[in-house]
Amino acid sequence: MDFRTTDTPLLEWTGDALALGFFEDAVELTGDLASLDEKLSGTLQELIADAEFKGKDGSSAVTRVGGSSPIRKIILMGLGKLESLKLETLRRAAASSARLAKKQRCTTLGIYLPIWNADPAATAGAIAEGIELALHQDNRFKSESEDKGVQLTQIDLLGLGEQSAAIALSQKIIAGTILARELVAAPANALTPIEMAETAQAIAAEFGLQLEILEKAECEQLGMGAFLGVAQASDLPPKFIHLTYTPSGTPRRKLAIVGKGLTFDSGGLNIKVAGSGIEMMKIDMGGAAATLGAAKAIGALKPDVEVHFISAVTENMISGHAMRPGDILKASNGKTIEINNTDAEGRLTLADALVFTEKLGVDAIVDLATLTGACVIALGDDIAGLWSPDDALAADLLQAAEKAGEKVWRMPLEERYFEGLKSPLADMKNTGPRPGGSITAALFLKQFIKETAWAHLDIAGPVWADKEHGYNNVGATGYGVRTLVQWVLGY
Ligand code: BES
Ligand code: MN
Ligand code: ZN
């Protein structure tokens, strides 16, 4: 996709489709828009009347321009009320105009949207994000691409001045997001722990990041009994991935991102039954995918912050070697865990990953995990849960998520609920009662952090979209990458 910010006045722009944004109850053709309407022989006025277009958020209308006009199609995009304009509104409007232009077989698209918050750079970046993410199609597993025929190849951003730097920044974030989408969408027979390690290797090579892969024997030496307990039924070797981005000067801060990396979660001996969504469990490395996607973006953006990217990657399988319900495992910090449900495996892999990460001496740790179905019940498909004992870190993450346009809701770390994890034999069980299941999962993770500022994001809902919505297509969303990048850049 070729994005151009052009100084061409609205009236002089020529191309296949021109998309225009309007606020709700302010669909008026004045100034340049009046002149444009005149030039297009009243097409705008007609379309507004025919479609009863009122500028409602998310609405759109499209028509052909008759005669030998230098513009073939007009697209109207509703932006909702002026007072409630968000960057996210513009991302979505840009996405829907690109989808429409593509459907209308257009090659070039001009976009004319209001500037958000007097910030033309952020506006241009958001438009680029909305368009690229909406048009991304994954053809890797088709014998023939379904994306043939006319392609939208050029986007002109009108009225924003020169914004190539802002667009280049967005494109780096988008590349990381698309990597995360592709990792999540890849089935478990195509994306094993080995391919995850190779992906990390490719990022390290491309951007000069440092890579450390701990094989099973090294994990054993470090006493990672919780991670290895999960890994022991798989025929594939577990891979503990640690990528490091180091800035050239003195880092202002040191941060760590940890992702749950189950390339498949069968449930183990507490096997997932029909109707539990077992066929979707290739998505269970969504946290690791966001981690590697963020590594790719950070590697390209080169901020002056040191960032560690960590994932304990394996599958949760069944075999004669499988951990049994009732087994007691010892994690690398010495804590013992009675396994009362082998399907609560993500927290076991994260336990050892968090202990490893805290030893790096970073200022803050954020983990992302498709950890619980309970979080999906609580917050639905669009919103991730956030748990943190640290109010400043929680606030930073909420702000980063708002900027990124990813929805996050802070949840309570209700200490009393840890009673549900008490074990008569071991230090704790791995599963509490069904009520508050996403909270006990977060409390379990907290046992493996001593003193470093830490936050946990449960992304089980937003990692995947069942319906096309905004710039998300059906399938993997790449959720988390954009929030993580904003969080790192915000320091
Ligand atoms: N990977 C699942 C959680 C999940 C569920 C992710 C649905 C995405 C969509 C996790 O390992 C799991 O199985 N959690 C159990 C925990 C339970 C056994 C305490 C769950 O949520 O049912
Ligand atoms: Mn599970
Ligand atoms: Zn899982």
Side-chain angles (χ1 to χ4, degrees):
M1 191 80 55
D2 189 15
F3 289 97
R4 289 198 326 191
T5 41
T6 143
D7 285 335
T8 310
L10 181 60
L11 276 172
E12 283 161 36
W13 186 82
T14 63
D16 292 331
L18 177 60
L20 306 165
F22 290 92
F23 290 112
E24 185 168 353
D25 300 327
V27 185
E28 285 143 24
L29 299 178
T30 54
D32 274 358
L33 289 174
S35 315
L36 180 67
D37 192 36
E38 208 170 294
K39 190 178 154 200
L40 302 176
S41 333
T43 306
L44 291 184
Q45 196 56 65
E46 249 176 57
L47 176 58
I48 290 166
D50 278 2
E52 292 184 38
F53 178 77
K54 301 275 190 295
K56 277 210 171 21
D57 189 14
S59 66
S60 60
V62 59
T63 190
R64 199 180 144 256
V65 186
S68 56
S69 161
I71 299 171
R72 285 203 297 123
K73 309 271 177 176
I74 289 288
I75 297 169
L76 310 180
M77 298 168 286
L79 304 173
K81 299 263 197 271
L82 168 70
E83 317 82 75
S84 53
L85 181 70
K86 289 186 179 166
L87 216 42
E88 182 66 358
T89 316
L90 300 180
R91 266 189 211 101
R92 287 170 189 243
S96 80
S97 70
R99 287 191 204 282
L100 282 168
K102 187 178 172 199
K103 224 161 126 192
Q104 304 279 332
R105 306 167 53 75
C106 296
T107 314
T108 56
L109 168 66
I111 292 210
Y112 187 66
L113 279 166
I115 295 171
W116 171 80
N117 205 21
D119 190 344
T123 302
I127 293 172
E129 281 171 27
I131 292 176
E132 294 256 34
L133 292 175
L135 295 185
H136 165 239
Q137 254 207 1
D138 189 351
N139 290 309
R140 289 172 302 160
F141 302 101
K142 305 253 187 209
S143 56
E144 255 183 271
S145 168
E146 285 181 357
D147 211 8
K148 281 188 290 204
V150 182
Q151 295 290 320
L152 189 53
T153 52
Q154 187 173 316
I155 314 284
D156 287 351
L157 276 56
L158 302 170
L160 298 178
E162 208 286 309
Q163 297 301 345
S164 51
I167 290 169
L169 181 136
S170 277
Q171 283 179 317
K172 289 174 182 147
I173 300 175
I174 293 160
T177 307
I178 287 178
L179 171 64
R181 282 186 179 183
E182 293 190 342
L183 291 172
V184 169
N189 63 341
L191 187 82
T192 68
I194 299 166
E195 278 80 23
M196 287 290 281
E198 285 170 0
T199 306
Q201 175 63 59
I203 296 168
E206 188 176 357
F207 301 105
L209 272 63
Q210 200 186 316
L211 176 64
E212 176 186 28
I213 304 243
L214 305 181
E215 304 293 341
K216 185 177 156 203
E218 290 156 284
C219 295
E220 266 163 7
Q221 275 164 19
L222 289 171
M224 295 185 173
F227 170 43
L228 294 176
V230 175
Q232 73 196 27
S234 174
D235 285 339
L236 303 170
K239 298 280 178 185
F240 190 102
I241 299 173
H242 174 203
L243 267 171
T244 309
Y245 163 74
T246 322
S248 48
T250 317
R252 272 187 304 123
R253 297 209 90 194
K254 297 184 180 185
L255 305 173
I257 296 166
V258 180
K260 171 176 172 182
L262 269 291
T263 57
F264 186 69
D265 177 13
S266 72
L269 288 176
N270 292 102
I271 195 163
K272 289 183 182 291
V273 295
S276 64
I278 189 172
E279 71 286 355
M280 280 301 300
M281 281 305 135
K282 66 175 182 182
I283 58 99
D284 216 16
M285 31 56 71
T291 301
L292 292 180
K296 182 172 174 127
I298 297 294
L301 290 165
K302 310 214 180 300
D304 53 355
V305 177
E306 180 175 306
V307 194
H308 297 264
F309 306 90
I310 288 135
S311 184
V313 186
T314 187
E315 306 179 295
N316 186 21
M317 299 297 276
I318 50 174
S319 82
H321 302 287
M323 68 173 170
R324 311 157 194 83
D327 281 3
I328 295 177
L329 305 179
K330 188 184 254 186
S332 43
N333 64 347
K335 293 206 180 176
T336 58
I337 307 156
E338 180 183 0
I339 307 304
N340 58 338
N341 192 323
T342 62
D343 199 9
E345 84 298 338
R347 61 195 75 181
L348 298 171
T349 64
L350 286 166
D352 282 325
L354 290 173
V355 170
F356 176 93
T357 305
E358 192 164 22
K359 289 188 200 146
L360 300 171
V362 293
D363 300 310
I365 303 172
V366 174
D367 80 70
L368 292 91
T370 49
L371 202 61
T372 66
C375 193
V376 189
I377 299 298
L379 297 174
D381 280 341
D382 287 352
I383 309 173
L386 164 67
W387 285 261
S388 180
D390 190 302
D391 289 342
L393 176 56
D396 286 346
L397 283 165
L398 288 170
Q399 198 185 10
E402 165 69 28
K403 236 181 164 173
E406 295 184 316
K407 291 191 174 128
V408 172
W409 192 259
R410 189 166 180 194
M411 302 280 276
L413 268 173
E414 189 65 32
E415 290 292 341
R416 194 180 69 78
Y417 291 178
F418 190 74
E419 277 171 29
L421 290 171
K422 291 235 161 98
S423 159
L425 274 172
D427 294 340
M428 68 196 95
K429 297 190 289 186
N430 73 328
T431 309
R434 249 161 72 86
S438 64
I439 300 176
T440 44
L443 287 169
F444 179 94
L445 297 180
K446 190 165 171 273
Q447 305 310 306
F448 299 90
I449 293 284
K450 279 202 292 222
E451 53 192 14
T452 309
W454 159 77
H456 157 61
L457 284 162
D458 193 332
I459 62 168
V463 71
W464 188 264
D466 291 325
K467 291 202 183 86
E468 179 183 299
H469 181 56
Y471 41 80
N472 282 335
N473 300 313
V474 174
T477 57
Y479 186 94
V481 173
R482 294 180 301 130
T483 295
L484 289 170
V485 172
Q486 292 301 340
W487 176 61
V488 170
L489 294 184
Y491 277 107

